[in-house]
Every structure is written in structure tokens, then in C-alpha cells.
Amino acid sequence: VWKCVFSQSMMLAVKKKRLDEDLDGDDGCAVDPSDITGPQSNVTIRGVVTDISPIKESKRDSRLKYFTGKITDGKKTLRMVSFRPKFRDELQNIAGAGQSVAISECEVKASASSALEVISSRASGVKKCEKKFDLPDDLSKIDPETAVSVKLEELQGLCVNQVVNVKVKVCTVNDAEDVSHKGSWRQLTKQDCMVVDHSNAVRAVLWTTKVGCFEEGRSYEVKNATVRVYNDIKYLSLSEKSELMKIDDIGVVVQLDQSELETVNSVVLNGEIVSVVAVEEYRSCISCGSKIKDEAVASVTVVCTRCAA
């Protein structure tokens, strides 16, 4: 067991040393927050760290410690999460004075609210960055997500988690329902709707604080909606960060028949299970609930790639 853990530690140390050497030189391979439009793995992010929280305890497991922060390039701000308390001091020492930094070996994921956030890994390192960023005096004016204005027909060609602005008319509004968030104990409230413009019709899901904000037949300008996907079909997700404003009627829109309008409704099927085709077994992290990859399970020491627990 000792040999396996020692070898794994040596591999991480060598990997981190190579990353540190890479960051000492040209950081042109790094990306800025405003360049990120969707989830990414093994990415180096450069910018200015504007906020670092104290060490916190996980509500699910008091043994799990973490801290959060924010990194920006002056155009877009991303939330950072690290489950390595020791990394906080390293980050604070380099980034605390407003120094531009490059943070390596990060993963960009969508949070429960659909916003993109940066997760540091066990191999993450931080170095000073040569690039300078022009930040406004009031950092609160930096858009946390760079939204693009689109027509509904363009939705299917966009990346999942892309933040968009649209002008739509509401066709249908379903009753709100309570659902459980995947991988969490939280209960959320959602409301399915169908919205249209002159080019297409798409499903829109209102979450929690936005439930009840749509009225059938009214037109709205929606800002900071997130593109999500279900069964290979893109739809709009409206969360707390989304903004809705009633506007004048947008005019001629796509006409839908009754069957198309009803596709947004939930369907309940009753029947008898006659056979089970396959059973899949997998292990999950006791801290964050993420699935543990098969290759990681084969090791003596298993480390979650998401939270490093």
C-alpha cells in the first residue's frame, strides 16, 4: 500500500513540476475567463483573483474542507472552488496583491445554478502571469457570464451552458413541480413552458425564483438564460441569474398546433416490467456524489477527480 501511495505522490509531484516549468515561461496556451463558453478539462486559466473566501466545511461532510474565490479578465468573472485548503495560502500569496496569475490543471463545470465555475485539482498550480488585465473600478459591473443575443432557431447550434439573450412570446405555462437535484439532497421547484419567436419554438424551464414569472400570450426579453440539453434537444434554463422583462408584442411568431404545444407536458406511463436488460454497477464519491472512473477504482488509493476527497 505504501509503495502505491508513494508512487502516486511522486507522479503528482513530477506532473506539478512540469506544469510549474511551463507556467514559468510563455502562458500563451492559457485561456481567459471570457474565452470559456462551456465545460473544459485540464485547462489553464489566467486572470486576476478578486476574492478568496475563508476555509469552509461541507454541509454534507464536516471532514471535507474547501474555499471559493473569483477570477476575472475584466470582461467576465468565474467562480472558483478548491477542495485543497493548503492551495488557499499558495493562491493568496501570489494573487493577493492584484497580480495577474495563471492557474493550471483546472476543470470548468456547470454548477447547480447552471453557471460555469472553475474547480482546481490536486495537481493545480498557480504562477504569476505576464499578461495584464484592464479591470474597471467597480468590479460588480463585470458580467459574470458573457451572454450573446440569438434567435431561437440558432439555439441548436450553440454550446451547452452558453448564456444567451432572447426575445420570445410565451405559448404555454405548465404547473410548477418539485424535483430533486441530481447528486444532491436539495429539493428544487421548476416550471416547464413553451416559448416562440418568428424563427422557432423551444422549451423553457423556470427554476425556483423564476417560477410563476411567465404569463401565457405575453412577450418577454430574457437575459442570461442558459442553454441546456435533454434527449439531444437544446432548451432554455432560467435560474436566479436570469432576468425577465415584459416587452411589447414581438409580432408574427411560429404557429404551433395543439400536439406540438402539448409536447412540453410531463408524461406518466403505467405498465409492468417484464425483463431487465442490463445492470450497471459503479462507485460514487461519498463527499460530492460524482461517479468514480473504473481506472481509479483499480488503485489502492482512490481520489475523486472532482473534489479530491
Side-chain angles (χ1 to χ4, degrees):
V1 174
W2 179 86
K3 183 177 181 180
C4 178
V5 174
F6 179 76
S7 299
Q8 187 180 43
S9 300
M10 286 293 292
M11 289 176 65
L12 285 172
V14 171
K15 187 176 183 181
K16 190 174 187 301
K17 183 176 184 298
R18 289 174 179 172
L19 288 168
D20 290 345
E21 291 172 350
D22 290 341
L23 288 173
D24 280 333
D26 182 21
D27 52 70
C29 59
V31 297
D32 302 340
S34 58
D35 296 327
I36 298 174
T37 59
Q40 297 185 39
S41 298
N42 300 325
V43 62
T44 297
I45 299 177
R46 62 188 174 192
V48 177
V49 176
T50 60
D51 180 48
I52 302 176
S53 77
I55 302 297
K56 305 176 184 179
E57 287 186 357
S58 170
K59 294 180 179 179
R60 275 189 272 180
D61 186 349
S62 60
R63 296 172 299 175
L64 185 62
K65 314 294 184 183
Y66 71 99
F67 70 91
T68 62
K70 295 179 181 178
I71 186 168
T72 182
D73 60 358
K75 301 176 183 177
K76 182 177 180 179
T77 299
L78 292 177
R79 179 175 182 261
M80 300 187 303
V81 181
S82 176
F83 293 90
R84 289 171 53 209
K86 292 182 180 179
F87 186 58
R88 183 189 184 282
D89 293 336
E90 185 180 351
L91 185 63
Q92 180 72 53
N93 291 337
I94 296 177
Q99 168 70 44
S100 299
V101 298
I103 305 175
S104 62
E105 286 293 295
C106 295
E107 186 170 8
V108 180
K109 286 190 172 184
S111 66
S113 64
S114 301
L116 294 175
E117 60 183 17
V118 179
I119 312 294
S120 72
S121 68
R122 293 182 68 195
S124 291
V126 57
K127 288 290 181 180
K128 293 181 180 180
C129 173
E130 296 299 325
K131 183 175 181 178
K132 302 300 180 183
F133 296 94
D134 185 18
L135 304 185
D137 294 332
D138 185 359
L139 296 176
S140 64
K141 293 183 178 180
I142 301 175
D143 190 355
E145 295 284 352
T146 303
V148 294
S149 298
V150 298
K151 302 173 185 177
L152 294 184
E153 66 178 356
E154 300 172 316
L155 210 63
Q156 300 306 317
L158 297 179
C159 297
V160 175
N161 296 317
Q162 172 68 53
V163 181
V164 298
N165 302 329
V166 293
K167 292 182 179 180
V168 297
K169 177 181 257 187
V170 180
C171 287
T172 61
V173 178
N174 282 7
D175 294 334
E177 58 179 316
D178 293 328
V179 297
S180 296
H181 178 257
K182 183 179 180 182
S184 172
W185 70 94
R186 292 190 302 159
Q187 289 288 321
L188 302 177
T189 303
K190 75 165 189 172
Q191 188 173 38
D192 281 304
C193 306
M194 182 71 80
V195 297
V196 298
D197 64 6
H198 68 277
S199 65
N200 202 2
V202 301
R203 176 187 174 217
V205 180
L206 309 182
W207 291 97
T208 316
T209 58
K210 293 298 181 286
V211 169
C213 291
F214 271 167
E215 296 179 31
E216 289 188 12
R218 293 298 301 262
S219 295
Y220 294 84
E221 181 177 4
V222 180
K223 294 183 178 181
N224 296 328
T226 306
V227 178
R228 308 290 283 185
V229 64
Y230 182 73
N231 284 345
D232 297 325
I233 298 178
K234 305 283 179 62
Y235 67 92
L236 295 173
S237 176
L238 280 66
S239 59
E240 293 181 1
K241 65 186 178 73
S242 305
E243 300 176 21
L244 287 76
M245 182 173 62
K246 291 181 180 179
I247 58 176
D248 293 336
D249 192 281
I250 60 175
V252 179
V253 296
V254 171
Q255 297 299 314
L256 304 177
D257 59 33
Q258 190 61 30
S259 63
E260 290 175 304
L261 290 175
E262 290 175 351
T263 56
V264 73
N265 292 327
S266 299
V267 177
V268 178
L269 300 178
N270 297 316
E272 180 181 353
I273 299 176
V274 295
S275 66
V276 177
V277 177
V279 176
E280 179 185 0
E281 292 186 4
Y282 65 91
R283 294 173 174 82
S284 61
C285 175
I286 60 174
S287 295
C288 69
S290 298
K291 183 177 178 180
I292 303 297
K293 297 180 180 179
D294 294 338
E295 53 267 30
V297 176
S299 304
V300 175
T301 303
V302 179
V303 178
C304 178
T305 56
R306 186 181 189 279
C307 70

